């Protein structure tokens, strides 16, 4: 465990409750929800210096290394457990032994009333895009959030209202805590990605970061590309083209102006964002949508679906299209005026989110 004896004695004297964050998600690739946990915890660790707060990062120790290391003020607690026993028995037992308060940053609700949870989105309750058994498990998970969590947080006001409507949780019990973009500053752009794409010219392509999930709506890019053979599109993501599904693989045979580099590193992604004509995000459902924020941070214009939370979050800094309109005029859309994104970049900040959580943790520790 990390953290000095003096700090531990100070915590006992102040009678502050330990705060436990579940870090098991930090085994996964650092995107989406793991990104939120990684960035908030790493910044929170610095903010805790000298506060006397006892904050711990617990995780299911199965031999894999965590992506987040070197914490100085957060105690790292490995808990040995098989997969399904960890959330049901091992972590709750640890919380009871230490009279700890649980903060679930990764939609990871436990059946304890001394808890709060960040429920990033509730897509399985809104869209029929997941298997039936998964949707059932997600319902149970969300109901446990409703029954046990003292407070619920999410990442947009759109999700806040959806959670309230679908789960019957009062709006005043649901808070909003945003994602950020500063992780892009630490990434070195990797220009070698263009060697994989000899037909793609810098500054002359539309870029999208792809996903298998149907709600990401990459059919829109395929259909728009077919109607605009004079334009070039790059869709990154997945180990190979087959990862996008049979429809995507079959359509690629007939769509010669869409290029699929496959999985790209953070550096390759940054280079593609820096040199694109515009970043496309046609999703029909999002909790927040970090990639457009990343693209904005690299100076790329962003063209977004007018669905879900995207207009709420990106306001007049983006240009919008109907995600079911395949006849959209991209040139006319790009000619529309937008506002400077500086205020937006200051609003959505990992530093601000970490500072927000420091204040909440102070409150929970004192209860």
């Amino acid at each position: 465990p990390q953290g000095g004896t003096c700090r531990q004695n100070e915590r006992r004297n102040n009678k502050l409750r330990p705060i436990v964050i579940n870090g098991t998600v930090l085994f996964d690739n650092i995107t989406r929800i793991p990104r939120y946990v990684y960035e908030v915890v790493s910044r929170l660790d610095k903010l805790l210096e000298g506060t006397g707060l006892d904050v711990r990062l617990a995780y299911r120790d199965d031999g894999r290394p965590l992506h987040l290391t070197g914490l100085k003020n957060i105690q790292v607690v490995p808990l040995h457990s098989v997969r399904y026993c960890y959330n049901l028995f091992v972590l709750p037992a640890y919380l009871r032994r230490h009279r700890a308060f649980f903060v679930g940053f990764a939609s990871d609700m436990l059946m304890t009333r001394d808890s709060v949870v960040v429920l990033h989105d509730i897509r399985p309750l809104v869209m029929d895009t997941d298997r039936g058994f998964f949707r059932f498990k997600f319902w149970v998970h969300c109901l446990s959030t409703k029954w046990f969590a003292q407070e619920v947080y999410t990442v947009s006001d759109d999700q806040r209202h959806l959670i309230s409507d679908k789960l019957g949780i009062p709006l005043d019990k649901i808070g909003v805590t945003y994602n950020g973009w500063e992780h892009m500053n630490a990434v070195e752009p990797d220009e070698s990605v263009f060697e994989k794409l000899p037909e793609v010219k810098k500054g002359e392509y539309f870029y999208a970061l792809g996903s298998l999930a149907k709600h990401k709506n990459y059919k829109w890019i395929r259909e728009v590309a077919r109607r605009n053979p004079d334009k070039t599109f790059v869709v990154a993501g997945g180990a190979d083209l087959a990862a996008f599904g049979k429809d995507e693989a079959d359509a690629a045979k007939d769509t010669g102006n869409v290029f699929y580099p496959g999985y790209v590193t953070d550096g390759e992604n940054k280079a593609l964002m820096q040199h694109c004509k515009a970043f496309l995000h046609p999703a029909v459902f999002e909790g927040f949508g970090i990639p457009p924020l990343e693209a904005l941070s690299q100076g790329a214009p962003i063209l977004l679906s007018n669905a879900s939370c995207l207009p709420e979050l990106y306001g007049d800094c983006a240009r919008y299209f109907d995600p079911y309109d395949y006849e959209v005029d991209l040139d006319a859309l790009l000619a529309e005026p937008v506002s400077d994104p500086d205020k937006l970049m200051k609003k959505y900040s990992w530093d601000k989110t970490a500072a927000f959580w420091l204040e909440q943790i102070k409150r929970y520790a004192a209860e």
Side-chain angles (χ1 to χ4, degrees):
Q2 302 176 25
T5 303
C6 291
R7 286 197 302 274
Q8 292 172 353
N9 290 337
E10 183 181 357
R11 291 163 190 157
R12 282 195 292 266
N13 292 336
N14 291 337
K15 296 182 180 179
L16 296 175
R17 299 186 67 178
I19 303 296
V20 174
I21 299 166
N22 188 7
T24 301
V25 72
L26 294 172
F27 288 136
D28 300 334
N29 291 331
I30 304 303
T31 61
R32 300 181 66 250
I33 293 175
R35 170 67 67 189
Y36 181 95
V37 179
Y38 182 97
E39 300 298 337
V40 172
V41 170
S42 60
R43 286 165 170 78
L44 185 60
D45 183 61
K46 298 182 179 75
L47 297 177
L48 287 168
E49 183 69 38
T51 63
L53 291 165
D54 180 356
V55 179
R56 309 174 189 183
L57 185 75
Y59 69 97
R60 178 172 55 84
D61 183 11
D62 60 5
R64 292 179 294 168
L66 290 178
H67 289 299
L68 182 57
T69 59
L71 298 174
K72 296 181 179 179
N73 299 292
I74 295 177
Q75 182 184 141
V76 178
V77 181
L79 298 174
H80 297 284
S81 173
V82 296
R83 183 174 183 180
Y84 294 107
C85 288
Y86 175 75
N87 273 25
L88 288 174
F89 305 110
V90 176
L91 184 53
Y94 178 85
L95 295 171
R96 288 192 297 271
R97 282 199 310 273
H98 295 269
R99 293 189 61 254
F101 191 95
F102 178 71
V103 177
F105 280 156
S107 299
D108 39 14
M109 181 58 204
L110 299 182
M111 293 184 180
T112 171
R113 297 195 182 279
D114 292 328
S115 64
V116 296
V117 63
V118 182
L119 194 54
H120 289 258
D121 71 68
I122 57 167
R123 187 196 72 251
L125 307 188
V126 179
M127 300 186 69
D128 186 16
T129 55
D130 299 276
R131 294 178 180 178
F133 183 65
F134 176 82
R135 291 200 303 274
F136 171 75
K137 288 196 302 181
F138 195 81
W139 262 112
V140 174
H141 175 86
C142 288
L143 288 175
S144 70
T145 299
K146 174 182 178 178
W147 294 331
F148 289 95
Q150 290 186 14
E151 294 173 310
V152 177
Y153 294 88
T154 190
V155 291
S156 65
D157 196 55
D158 176 76
Q159 282 301 303
R160 177 172 171 261
H161 281 83
L162 278 176
I163 290 169
S164 180
D165 291 344
K166 290 291 182 180
L167 298 178
I169 301 175
L171 279 172
D172 60 7
K173 192 181 174 182
I174 309 172
V176 177
T177 165
Y178 297 118
N179 287 285
W181 58 271
E182 299 98 318
H183 56 279
M184 295 293 287
N185 292 336
V187 177
E188 188 69 26
D190 184 355
E191 301 282 332
S192 70
V193 67
F194 292 100
E195 296 173 9
K196 304 176 185 177
L197 303 164
E199 303 92 341
V200 174
K201 296 181 180 180
K202 292 181 180 179
E204 297 184 16
Y205 61 92
F206 294 88
Y207 177 51
L209 198 57
S211 168
L212 266 175
K214 290 182 180 179
H215 67 282
K216 295 296 185 181
N217 191 32
Y218 283 91
K219 177 184 178 182
W220 182 88
I221 293 177
R222 189 171 68 237
E223 295 296 334
V224 170
R226 184 177 289 118
R227 290 164 173 78
N228 292 271
D230 59 320
K231 292 179 170 55
T232 302
F233 300 81
V234 175
V235 181
D240 53 41
L241 184 58
F244 289 89
K246 187 177 185 303
D247 289 344
E248 200 71 59
D250 291 345
K253 298 174 184 176
D254 304 319
T255 313
N257 58 335
V258 183
F259 298 91
Y260 299 85
Y263 171 81
V264 293
T265 65
D266 288 345
E268 290 171 335
N269 177 54
K270 185 169 182 174
L272 287 166
M273 284 182 169
Q274 288 180 341
H275 295 291
C276 68
K277 189 172 184 177
F279 182 81
L280 303 175
H281 197 70
V284 295
F285 187 94
E286 283 286 3
F288 184 92
I290 296 179
L293 192 61
E294 294 175 332
L296 269 183
S297 77
Q298 301 309 304
I302 56 174
L303 310 184
L304 311 181
S305 160
N306 60 10
S308 193
C309 64
L310 296 171
E312 168 208 333
L313 294 172
Y314 291 97
D316 55 9
C317 295
R319 300 167 175 96
Y320 298 96
F321 55 83
D322 181 341
Y324 302 104
D325 176 14
Y326 307 131
E327 304 292 341
V328 61
D329 186 331
L330 292 176
D331 293 326
L333 196 59
L334 266 176
E336 294 179 0
V338 291
S339 297
D340 188 288
D342 282 352
K343 288 184 179 179
L344 196 75
M345 307 311 287
K346 291 176 182 176
K347 178 180 180 181
Y348 304 131
S349 159
W350 293 125
D351 290 333
K352 283 189 174 181
T353 300
F356 168 84
W357 278 112
L358 176 64
E359 295 307 309
Q360 303 312 306
I361 284 171
K362 287 178 181 177
R363 180 162 60 90
Y364 304 139
E367 289 180 353

